[in-house]
Each structure stands twice: as structure tokens, then as C-alpha cells.
Amino acid sequence: MSLILVVLMPFLGALLPPILVQAGRRTCALGTLSVTVLALVGLVSNFPALLSGETVTARIDWLPELGLNVTFFLDPLGAFFASLILGIGCLIIVYGRYYLSRNDDMGEFFTYLLLFQGAMVGIVLSDNILLLLIFWELTSLSSFLLIGYWKHLKEGRQGARMALTVTGMGGLALIGGMLILGNIAGSYDLTEILQNREAIQSSDLYLPALILILIGCFTKSAQFPFHFWLPHAMAAPTPVSAYLHSATMVKAGIFLMARLWPVLSGSEAWFWLVTGAGLITVVLGAVIAFFKHDLKALLAFSTVSHLGLITMLLGTGTAFGAMTAIFHILNHATFKAALFMSAGIVDHEAHTRDIRKLGGLRHLMPVTATIATVAALSMAGIPLFNGFVSKEMWLEEALHTELFGPHWLVPALATFGALFSAAYSFRFIFHTFFGKTRDDYPSHPHDPNFGMWLPPAFLATLVVIIGCAPFLAEPLVKFVTAAVLGTTAEVPSYHLAIWHGLKPPLYLSGVAVAGGILLLLLHRFLQKGWDVTPRPEAKTIFDGIVGGAVWVARRVTCGLHDGSFTRFAAILVVFVVAAGAYAFVTGEAGMGSRVVYPPTAVAVATWAMLVAATGFLVFKHRNRLAALILIAIVGLIVSVGFAYFSAPDLAMTQISVEVVTVVLMLLALNFLPQETPVESGAGRRLRDGLIAVAGGVGAGMLAFYMLVRDFVESPISEYHLANSYKGGGGTNVVNVILVDFRGFDTFGEIIVLGIAALVIFALTEALMGGPVRARLLNREPQTRLAGDRHPLMMVVLTRVIMPVLLLIGIYIFLRGHNLPGGGFIAGLVVAVAIVQQYMASGFAWASDRQRYPYHGIVGAGVLIAGLTGIGAWFTGHEFLTSSFTYIKLPLLEEFEVASAMGFDLGVFLAVLGAVLLSLESFSRMARRAHDTDNEHAMDIDPSRGTTNEGGA
Amino acid sequence: MELLVASGIGVLTAAGIYLVLRLRTFPVIIGTAMLTYAVNVFLFASGRLTVSAPPILMDEATRYTDPLPQALVLTAIVISFGMTAVVVVIALGAYLGSDDDHVDEQGGALDAVRKLEKAE
């Protein structure tokens, strides 16, 4: 099976459990199990190729230029880890089926579990390190969901958050480190990177890369000083703990250190950092574990300690160390998963994990007691169990390691750690299962049903088999070790065996076991001493740091953005201007080479008008009606400018938009205060003025420096100019761009415009439906109304001009493809024509004669534009490709018919509908209670005699 | 001529920023309209200034101005009308609902946070 499928399988399978759980818990568990088994089978199907010495790969190119590809590879190391993940995954699923109570949502649980599993398999099989990083983050996220699975428990939520914070932070560091690494090696593929040992180790960036990568690995694998999250993650359901903290999540860091071992290890920095952190973690974890009363906390700290052991082995940088590390990964995964599951069984049956409330369980739960004892003895390093073999090799390696000075220090510390390791293992066995049977357990403990003890029993069997016959595991360990070492070193010829003769490691082991028994006997006394010793509490420190960060973040955010838009806008402008000024000062911006136009007298005069109008606007803006008139003047000058600089389409659009905008603002001003009161003092106005001038100078200079230089590259529009007639069938290039080259863009834009109009309509409806309606109806006009509401002259004039305007609209529309015009402008012109009727003859009269609702017009426009686009599919082209032909009808000149015309019709209708819908919404607000709707178009109609209806 | 256009953009921007920094909704809306002019002219100018060479293909024409910025600005003008209308209706609703046309929330977020922290 392809590696891509092996990785994808758990992700795809994650969809199943929530569906299958409807059919019962058994089906759900079976479905999940079969997904994992299938992935495992897929993995195993690649083993023959692996054994024959090949490296199996799978690849999908995505962005090869950027090194972004989906590439997987399977070598012995990846296969070893993937088998552990999937194999133990199967056992966990069986165990979890019986562990979860009826109140737990099993579908949700197994979905998270499969997501996590997929992410883990992804890490160990990724070739591309960017892909690996994605899976790395996915494990952090999915483990967050798993640890916090019992959402009702405060400890679960806090533990999950802490795990996510620490591992997520480490993940960020890792991203930095890996990117540096990929940069040095010139490739983001692991297989390439692993070939570049010399280049990487001699690079100046080696140390930063190493530190960042190690932060990632140490946080994930709970190494000192990041070890504190792991015990808090024990609030998770036990299957999660057993899975995450024995074989998978915490081994991800170890895996990465092993994976990158050929290129990173061997340097001074690597040795000090990795061995040092590992050694401290071994001792720290072991000592704390001995004093923990919670079974899972004890196991958690023992996990921390054992991970330290593996880290230390990888840190020594010797081939023997790497081999021992691999062997201990295997052993630790077997006995620790079994121990976690046993602890879970005890918790499940006795309803407590507090070791002080337990004891004497061996008579009540003999099977569990046997399994746990076997696994714990292995953890203690007792002969005939697998932990003994690798622990001896570790002590052997420790004897050859010198760190922090004296040569006896490392072996002494290692023995000290091993001693406590034996002690807590014995405590786990004796205080839980031995001693007198008690009668005050919170529940009535007995062995669970067979589904729950079978998985740990299977692992315990492996513990004994490897422990008694380590040579069985030797080919596997050496095969994987060879993959770790790569070309850097030979696999040691050391044989895995129980008996190596009377050598120093055996004595050290003896000391550790004897010391462990002694410590257990002295436990009560030591515990009292431990309890009164003040120690830094990791959670308090962590909470303090998080609280401090939140405090600072709140101050910064709220200081910048305190709910005042004005303040924020000022900060934004100042920041942008400052950034621009910095770039301007540090960069080079000489005069450009473009030939400039000499200013003409008319241009200078127009410019002066613009400046004058703007100046008046700034100083007179408190008179809102005057401000509206002034802004209309500015708009007019802008459209004149467009016309002068060869943009007739823009000029026409700007001027017609100007009309509808002013009408709209006038309608709004009807309800707002007519004057803006003076509120800000002179100082504030001066400050705002300075900010505004700075922004204006910045924008002006930017525009000037742009205008005096030529294009850096030849513009895309050369293509548009060349193909407008040939391909689009039109000579107005702007229009062809709108309806053809960038038709999709325009299509989106008319939809946005339509949505804006609908938003306005909806907001008005909401306003009119609420308490505002009453206020609007009883509103007293702010100024005296005109005596003549619907003046005769205006009504007649607009009536006469209406067909002319419509004709102009159609003319502009039709010629748009070849001459200035088109759907946008025609829509605006027709909208103006209709708005005039509203203004002259009143809202009621005009809307009575309006046959089609404006929503419908907007919708029809978008629909027609869309259908025209789809029409291209029938001629075998892409969406919105236009086609055209020439038609000769009798009596007429030959003329062109283009499908773009249909699209432009859509644009026309959408613009028309949107403009009118907005204006209509505003004018509906303007109706008042004491005004009757006008029945007639004109107040004074000669044909009706001299009646004067309405008016104030 | 280039200097005239560039300084025009600068003047429009400055006026727009000043008005956006006012405290009531109406001047802020006028200010954004001014900024819209400035931005549209700036985008248009990115095609560089060309006199009497409209992008209408003709047999006798020897050069054309850059049509692409024009097409982009054309839709921008129409869209900005739609956006202005939406902002105006929001401002109107806020004023009619509360009889207050200030843009700023009275009392800053930092005060709210301090109160929250005190409560904690």
C-alpha cells in the first residue's frame, strides 16, 4: 500500500466513529480498530522492500520551486516508530472500548484518537520537513483534544491547555530551527538534509538551529526544564495517557532527535545540551515519582525520567548510545503502556488511584496484579525483564561519559536515578497490590473483563519474552540502529544478552536494586521529609508566566485600541507614515527618467479650484450641507481630471456616481443634525491637523515619485491592448477588460454591490420595525419645508427628459464595447433618470408606477451575467470566455453581436437595481405621519383646477 | 503636470485624514469619501499620466494609455458608492437609535479591562 494511503488512512477513518457509534459501542470500536489494522497492514506490506534494503518513497509534487512537496519515505527507523504507533494503537482501542463508560461519547473519543494517530504516523514517515512540521503541530492540537476529552473536569481543561501551550511553543521554535536547517542544506527533504552533515555542522547557523530544534524536541518529550506539562496531562482518560505517554506523543521528540542524529550529533553543543538535559531529567523525574501518591502521577514522572534516559543516550553521540536508545524505546513502550493500562484498571475498579487508599489488591485482582508486577519489575530493571537489559547498557554507556567535570559524576548520577527508579517501581507494586486486603476501598475491586486486561497482558508477555531472550530483538534493534546512524558510524558488534559477566554495570545495577528496596522500607520517613521541604511548584510558575503575558497583552492591545475609532485611526496613520518615512530615508529615491508634461494654465486653474474646495471643506465642514456641496465640487474636478488624462469611461462613471452619492447623502442628512458642534479643543485640532498634513505629504510624495518614473516591467495591459479586438471583439479596451479579460472580477463586484444594496434594505427594514419607527413618524422637520412639494416646472421637465435619458442610457450601453460607455455607466445614468421622478413627483407616486421590485432587478442582473458566463461552457470554453460574430440584417449595416453584451446587460441591471434599492430604502424613512401621500404627480395641476393638496 | 496631480492627491488625503479624525459620524463619512477620491486617483495614476491617448483602439492612433488601472478604478468607484451607502445607513441607524452621532464608544476598553480585573 502506498505510504500516502497509510498516512491518510487514520485521517479518513476519523470520520467513521461518530457515524458508527449510532450502531452501538461495539461497532464503533470495531470500525476504529479495523481502520488502524488496515493502516498497519498497509505499513507491513512495505516491509519486504524494506528488508531487501530499499527505501520506500511516495511523492506528490505541489510547489516544487519552493520545495513544498508531499513526500514520504519509509526507512527502518520510520517503520519501527510507525509500527509502535499503530500496534499499540490497536491495543489502546480495544482497551478504550471497555474503559470508557456509557456517559462518554465514544465516537468523539475515537475520532480524536485516530486524528492523533494519523498525525503521529505522518511525523515518522514524512520526508519533507515542512510536511513533518505540519504533522507535528497536528499532534499538539489533537493531543489537546484528547487530554481535555473530559471537558467537565477543570484539571483536564487546564492540563490540556498547558500541554498545548508548552508543546505549541516548542513547535514554533522547531519551525524556526527546521527552516534554518533546510536553508543550510539547500533542501527541505530529510533524505537530502541527512547527506549534508559537514555543511550543517560547519555553518554559523548550526547552533541557533540546534537550540531551536532541541527546544521543540524537549518540550514534546518533556525534558527538563519543560517536563512539567506531562504530569498535568494525566487528567486525560487512561487510554489517552497510555497511548500518548508511552509510545507516541512524547516519543516524537525522541524520534526527531534520532532522525536528525547523523547531522546534528557529535558536536560539543549537542553533547552538553542533550546529555545534560537528559541526565537532569532522569534524576529529577525519578525522585519526584517516588513521592507521588497518584498512580498515574507516579507513572508520569517515571515516564519523564525514562525519556531523560533515552535523551541522554542520544546525547552521548556514540553508536552504542544510539543502539541502546532504540532498544530502550522499544522496552519502555511495552512496559509503560502496560503499566498505564494497569493503573487505569485499578482506577476503573477501585474508583481511586490514590496509592494511600490502595493495597492488598493482589487477592482481589490477581490478573491485573500479575501484569502490573511484571511490567513494574521491568521498569525497576530486574533481570529476566526487558528493562534490565537496556538499563544495563545505559549504565555501561554512562560509565564512559564525562560531563560537568569528574569522571565518576555521570555514573553516580545515573545510578542514583536508577536507584529511585527501582524504588518507585517497588512502591507501585507493594503499596498497590501487596499488604493486607482493606475493606475501605471506594468500590469493590475485582479483575475486569477480558477485553480490558488482554492488551496489557499481551505487552507484559512481550516484556518477558524480550527480557528472557533479548537476542530475539537484536536483529530489529540493529536494523533500526543502522538507519539512525546512517553513514556516520558502524553498528556496534555488542550482543543483547542478560549475562555479560561480572562487570561494573552489573554492580551498579545491584546497588540500584538494593538501594531501591532500602528506600521503599524507609518510605514513610522520607515522605514526611519530602512533604515539609519547600519546592518550586511548576504549575504556579507556569500560571504566573501566562498571567503576566495576558496582563501585558491586555495593556498593549487596549492601550492601542481602547474602543475609540478616532484614536485607532490616528495611530494607524502615524504608524503608516512613520514606516513610509523610514523606508524613504533609508532607501534611494532619485528623480525618475520619465518625461513629464509641462503644466498648462487650465490645469493650474483646476488644481487651484480643487485646493480651494478642499480647504473650504476642511474649515467649513461643520455646516453639513455646505460640506456636501463642496465634496460634490471635488468629485466634479476629479472627473474632469479623468477626462483630461485619457480616461473617458472613468469620467463618465465618476460624474454619474457623484449624482447618486449626493442624492443619497442629502436623504441621510435629512435625519441628522445639520451642524457638527465644536467639541475638540484647539490642541486636539492642531494635533489632527499635523497628522493629516503628514499623511497628505506622504501620499503626495509617493504619488509624485511613482509618476516621474517608468514602469519597471512592461505592463500586462500590453496584452490587453493587443488582444482586445482580436480576442474580445471590442475596441474600448477598458470595457473589454471589464466584461472579458477580468470578467470574473467584475462578476464578483456586481455581486458585492448587490449584497451591499440588500444590506441597506435589510438594515432599513430592521430600523423601521423597531422603536425608531415611532420616532421617525413623529419627527418634526428641522427646517421649514418648501411650500411647493412637487413643483410643476420640475415635474414637467423630468417627465419630458425621462425618455431622452433612457435613450442616452441605451445608447451608452450599446456602444460600450467599442466606445466609452458600457453597463456600469448606463446603469448609473438610467438610475439617475428614475431618481429624478422620485424627487419631482414624490415617493408614493413614483413607487406606484414601479412594476419590478429592485431586488429582482439586482438578482436578474447577477443571474444574467452568470448565465452568460456559463454559456461559454457549451462552446467548450472556460467560464466567462466571450465569443462574438458579425451579423448582416437587411436594411442595416453589418454589426457585431458579442456574448459579452449579455454579461454587460447583467452588469447594467445589477448596478441599476442596487443604486435604486439603496435610494429607495433611504427615502422610505423620510415618510412622516402627518403627511399624506400625494395622489397626484403635481401639487398644482391646471387640469384639476386650483386645489392645493399637501404642502406645508 | 505630474506635480499638480501628486499634490492634488496629497491635499485630498490630508483633508480626508483630518475629517476621519473628527468625532461625529457625518464628517467621518465625508472624510472617507475624500480618501476614496485620493485612492482612486492614485490607483489611476499608477498607469502614469497620458494626455489624449484614450484606450479606444483606432487605426490612426499611435499610442494608448494603460487601460488596466482604468478598469480597476471604474469598478472601485461603483463599489465605493455601495460601501458609502452601507456606512451611511449604519450611521443613521445608530443616530436614530440612540440620539447620539459620536463615532467613539464612550469610556475606553482599558477601563473595562481594569474593572474586569478588579472583579476577578
Side-chain angles (χ1 to χ4, degrees):
Chain A
M1 195 190 291
S2 160
L3 292 180
I4 294 173
L5 211 55
V6 173
V7 176
L8 273 184
M9 189 71 73
F11 286 112
L12 295 175
L15 298 169
L16 286 179
I19 303 167
L20 291 182
V21 79
Q22 310 293 333
R25 293 155 62 84
R26 176 189 294 264
T27 322
C28 180
L30 272 176
T32 315
L33 184 63
S34 47
V35 169
T36 309
V37 170
L38 207 57
L40 188 60
V41 169
L43 182 74
V44 171
S45 71
N46 289 302
F47 282 4
L50 200 64
L51 286 171
S52 65
E54 283 176 47
T55 302
V56 185
T57 58
R59 111 183 250 124
I60 302 172
D61 279 346
W62 183 39
L63 294 173
E65 294 84 3
L66 292 176
L68 283 175
N69 299 312
V70 179
T71 49
F72 293 104
F73 82 120
L74 185 75
D75 74 334
L77 179 65
F80 171 63
F81 269 92
S83 316
L84 273 183
I85 293 159
L86 293 170
I88 296 197
C90 291
L91 300 177
I92 295 291
I93 291 165
V94 174
Y95 178 80
R97 150 78 183 87
Y98 295 98
Y99 180 87
L100 290 182
S101 80
R102 296 218 159 266
N103 299 328
D104 298 323
D105 184 344
M106 188 180 265
E108 190 186 338
F109 181 80
F110 280 138
T111 297
Y112 296 162
L113 197 77
L114 284 176
L115 284 178
F116 175 79
Q117 192 178 67
M120 278 307 299
V121 175
I123 289 184
V124 299
L125 296 187
S126 289
D127 187 4
N128 189 298
I129 53 174
L130 302 173
L131 189 66
L132 187 149
L133 289 170
I134 293 172
F135 285 120
W136 186 278
E137 294 297 321
L138 273 180
T139 59
S140 293
L141 289 175
S142 51
S143 67
F144 171 78
L145 294 172
L146 280 172
I147 296 170
Y149 172 71
W150 277 330
K151 302 177 193 70
H152 55 279
L153 294 182
K154 190 171 149 226
E155 296 78 32
R157 297 196 303 267
Q158 291 180 348
R161 199 178 64 177
M162 189 190 273
L164 182 68
T165 312
V166 176
T167 56
M169 206 182 63
L172 285 179
L174 184 69
I175 290 175
M178 291 297 243
L179 289 181
I180 297 178
L181 197 65
N183 223 4
I184 301 174
S187 165
Y188 289 120
D189 284 341
L190 265 174
T191 33
E192 287 280 318
I193 292 172
L194 292 180
Q195 308 298 325
N196 282 301
R197 180 188 166 92
E198 283 76 28
I200 289 168
Q201 298 220 346
S202 61
S203 162
D204 291 338
L205 289 171
Y206 167 71
L207 193 62
L210 176 70
I211 291 174
L212 289 171
I213 291 173
L214 285 182
I215 289 177
C217 294
F218 286 0
T219 48
K220 202 75 157 183
S221 289
Q223 292 301 294
F224 179 82
F226 306 111
H227 61 283
F228 56 89
W229 69 264
L230 198 145
H232 287 283
M234 287 301 135
T238 302
V240 174
S241 312
Y243 196 33
L244 266 60
H245 305 133
S246 67
T248 53
M249 164 108 155
V250 294
K251 293 276 168 69
I254 303 276
F255 164 79
L256 198 61
M257 284 191 265
R259 178 91 279 173
L260 296 173
W261 197 86
V263 289
L264 293 182
S265 79
S267 71
E268 193 87 332
W270 166 273
F271 174 69
W272 278 82
L273 287 171
V274 180
T275 314
L279 195 61
I280 296 172
T281 314
V282 172
V283 176
L284 197 72
V287 173
I288 299 176
F290 180 62
F291 295 107
K292 285 289 166 189
H293 299 304
D294 181 353
L295 285 182
K296 278 176 75 179
L298 186 154
L299 291 176
F301 278 103
S302 94
T303 303
V304 169
S305 170
H306 278 269
L307 291 168
L309 188 157
I310 299 168
T311 305
M312 185 193 139
L313 284 167
L314 288 169
T316 59
T318 62
F320 183 74
M323 183 166 87
T324 314
I326 293 297
F327 190 32
H328 199 67
I329 289 168
L330 175 68
N331 295 341
H332 180 251
T334 49
F335 70 68
K336 191 49 69 67
L339 280 172
F340 268 119
M341 290 194 230
S342 315
I345 294 174
V346 170
D347 188 19
H348 201 254
E349 300 302 328
H351 287 201
T352 181
R353 302 194 305 250
D354 191 332
I355 210 161
R356 290 167 299 186
K357 294 184 187 158
L358 295 167
L361 288 178
R362 72 179 188 283
H363 299 298
L364 298 170
M365 2 183 18
V367 178
T368 314
T370 313
I371 295 167
T373 308
V374 166
L377 287 177
S378 172
M379 180 160 77
I382 302 297
L384 298 184
F385 301 103
N386 61 2
F388 168 74
V389 188
S390 48
K391 195 169 267 187
E392 268 227 322
M393 290 165 70
W394 170 57
L395 290 170
E396 169 82 36
E397 179 72 14
L399 282 168
H400 300 293
T401 308
E402 259 183 55
L403 190 72
F404 308 131
H407 63 90
W408 51 264
L409 186 67
V410 174
L413 282 174
T415 314
F416 185 70
L419 190 149
F420 268 92
S421 174
Y424 65 64
S425 306
F426 294 148
R427 181 165 181 235
F428 183 90
I429 301 170
F430 285 95
H431 287 188
T432 313
F433 297 106
F434 286 78
K436 274 203 221 82
T437 306
R438 299 164 64 148
D439 48 14
D440 59 345
Y441 304 115
S443 180
H444 300 290
H446 54 81
D447 267 326
N449 66 18
F450 123 111
M452 214 159 159
W453 63 253
L454 192 67
F458 174 77
L459 290 169
T461 316
L462 282 181
V463 165
V464 177
I465 292 175
I466 301 175
C468 294
F471 56 86
L472 289 177
E474 188 174 316
L476 169 70
V477 171
K478 289 198 166 171
F479 190 47
V480 176
T481 308
V484 173
L485 298 176
T487 52
T488 51
E490 289 289 309
V491 178
S493 57
Y494 186 89
H495 287 290
L496 306 184
I498 306 173
W499 182 251
H500 279 287
L502 290 169
K503 285 192 177 162
L506 192 66
Y507 303 143
L508 295 183
S509 267
V511 169
V513 172
I517 295 171
L518 189 68
L519 279 184
L520 182 67
L521 295 174
L522 294 174
H523 173 259
R524 191 184 296 263
F525 173 70
L526 292 171
Q527 183 80 42
K528 269 186 194 143
W530 176 262
D531 287 344
V532 295
T533 319
R535 293 177 303 276
E537 185 59 50
K539 186 169 183 335
T540 324
I541 299 171
F542 174 81
D543 286 346
I545 294 173
V546 171
V550 169
W551 188 86
V552 171
R554 266 186 190 161
R555 285 296 174 286
V556 172
T557 312
C558 300
L560 290 173
H561 201 167
D562 65 348
S564 160
F565 165 77
T566 317
R567 181 190 179 87
F568 192 60
I571 291 174
L572 175 75
V573 173
V574 169
F575 182 79
V576 170
V577 170
Y582 173 77
F584 185 76
V585 171
T586 53
E588 288 171 21
M591 281 299 291
S593 55
R594 194 177 168 86
V595 183
V596 299
Y597 286 94
T600 60
V602 176
V604 174
T606 319
W607 178 83
M609 281 158 67
L610 178 80
V611 174
T614 315
F616 268 117
L617 176 63
V618 169
F619 288 103
K620 290 287 164 198
H621 75 91
R622 295 183 191 287
N623 181 341
R624 294 181 170 181
L625 188 64
L628 260 189
I629 295 169
L630 285 167
I631 200 172
I633 294 176
V634 171
L636 199 63
I637 297 174
V638 168
S639 47
V640 169
F642 283 145
Y644 183 75
F645 292 112
S646 320
D649 286 278
L650 286 191
M652 290 163 80
T653 315
Q654 181 73 59
I655 202 159
S656 40
V657 163
E658 213 53 54
V659 175
V660 288
T661 309
V662 169
V663 171
L664 176 110
M665 300 279 257
L666 278 172
L667 278 169
L669 193 55
N670 199 13
F671 309 101
L672 290 168
Q674 302 299 308
E675 297 275 334
T676 307
V678 182
E679 277 180 312
S680 37
R684 163 87 192 240
R685 286 206 294 269
L686 182 68
R687 188 202 76 179
D688 291 350
L690 287 176
I691 294 175
V693 169
V697 168
M701 278 171 68
L702 182 64
F704 182 69
Y705 279 99
M706 177 183 74
L707 284 174
V708 293
R709 58 198 66 225
D710 280 311
F711 296 115
V712 183
E713 293 272 335
S714 56
I716 320 167
S717 39
E718 280 178 9
Y719 170 86
H720 297 146
L721 285 166
N723 288 285
S724 175
Y725 188 69
K726 272 189 292 178
T731 53
N732 180 2
V733 186
V734 174
N735 184 269
V736 177
I737 290 177
L738 284 174
V739 299
D740 192 341
F741 294 130
R742 295 185 59 85
F744 210 17
D745 207 8
T746 312
F747 187 53
E749 255 146 348
I750 59 172
I751 293 174
V752 171
L753 195 65
I755 292 172
L758 291 179
V759 166
I760 292 165
F761 177 76
L763 284 174
T764 319
E765 281 292 290
L767 272 181
M768 301 295 283
V772 171
R773 179 185 167 79
R775 283 190 51 189
L776 276 175
L777 287 175
N778 296 315
R779 187 172 53 93
E780 282 301 319
Q782 292 163 335
T783 49
R784 220 163 50 80
L785 292 177
D788 201 359
R789 281 213 299 171
H790 306 293
L792 168 71
M793 294 284 277
M794 190 168 167
V795 175
V796 173
L797 195 64
T798 53
R799 210 64 56 79
V800 172
I801 214 167
M802 172 95 167
V804 181
L805 278 177
L806 292 181
L807 199 66
I808 293 175
I810 293 168
Y811 171 67
I812 286 178
F813 173 76
L814 285 177
R815 74 172 205 164
H817 214 44
N818 292 312
L819 288 167
F824 276 107
I825 301 164
L828 288 164
V829 168
V830 172
V832 171
I834 296 171
V835 166
Q836 281 185 347
Q837 303 306 313
Y838 277 96
M839 288 165 71
S841 307
F843 182 83
W845 185 87
S847 53
D848 276 351
R849 281 149 188 82
Q850 162 63 25
R851 273 185 225 167
Y852 306 102
Y854 296 123
H855 318 66
I857 297 182
V858 175
V862 173
L863 212 60
I864 288 174
L867 287 175
T868 316
I870 289 173
W873 289 347
F874 295 101
T875 54
H877 291 95
E878 297 278 321
F879 185 61
L880 280 174
T881 312
S882 72
S883 37
F884 57 94
T885 180
Y886 293 88
I887 293 178
K888 172 93 179 93
L889 288 182
L891 298 179
L892 290 176
E893 284 291 310
E894 188 183 63
F895 65 95
E896 177 196 357
V897 175
S899 71
M901 188 75 91
F903 185 76
D904 221 9
L905 179 67
V907 173
F908 167 79
L909 290 175
V911 171
L912 176 67
V915 171
L916 288 175
L917 186 58
S918 320
L919 292 174
E920 190 208 25
S921 303
F922 274 90
S923 27
R924 278 191 310 144
M925 282 195 211
R927 307 172 76 186
R928 289 190 305 276
H930 54 265
D931 280 352
T932 46
D933 284 334
N934 54 331
E935 288 166 26
H936 306 286
M938 287 173 270
D939 297 334
I940 305 161
D941 188 344
S943 64
R944 292 204 310 274
T946 52
T947 40
N948 186 353
E949 299 166 36
Chain B
M1 200 70 102
E2 272 77 2
L3 187 63
L4 290 181
V5 173
S7 58
I9 293 172
V11 168
L12 291 174
T13 313
I17 293 173
Y18 182 78
L19 290 174
V20 162
L21 295 179
R22 300 301 89 207
L23 296 171
R24 303 287 181 138
T25 50
F26 194 80
V28 171
I29 293 170
I30 298 275
T32 47
M34 292 296 276
L35 284 177
T36 307
Y37 290 134
V39 170
N40 283 346
V41 175
F42 181 83
L43 284 182
F44 166 71
S46 71
R48 306 300 187 270
L49 302 182
T50 316
V51 179
S52 29
I56 311 289
L57 300 181
M58 278 173 291
D59 291 333
E60 61 271 27
T62 51
R63 67 197 181 105
Y64 299 106
T65 185
D66 192 341
L68 189 60
Q70 295 195 12
L72 299 181
V73 171
L74 198 152
T75 50
I77 294 172
V78 180
I79 289 276
S80 66
F81 163 75
M83 291 305 123
T84 308
V86 171
V87 174
V88 167
V89 78
I90 291 171
L92 209 54
Y95 173 68
L96 293 174
S98 63
D99 213 4
D100 180 12
D101 64 345
H102 280 97
V103 274
D104 288 344
E105 190 185 326
Q106 306 294 314
L110 200 56
D111 295 336
V113 168
R114 289 214 178 92
K115 263 180 221 157
L116 194 78
E117 278 175 357
K118 213 166 263 176
E120 278 172 5

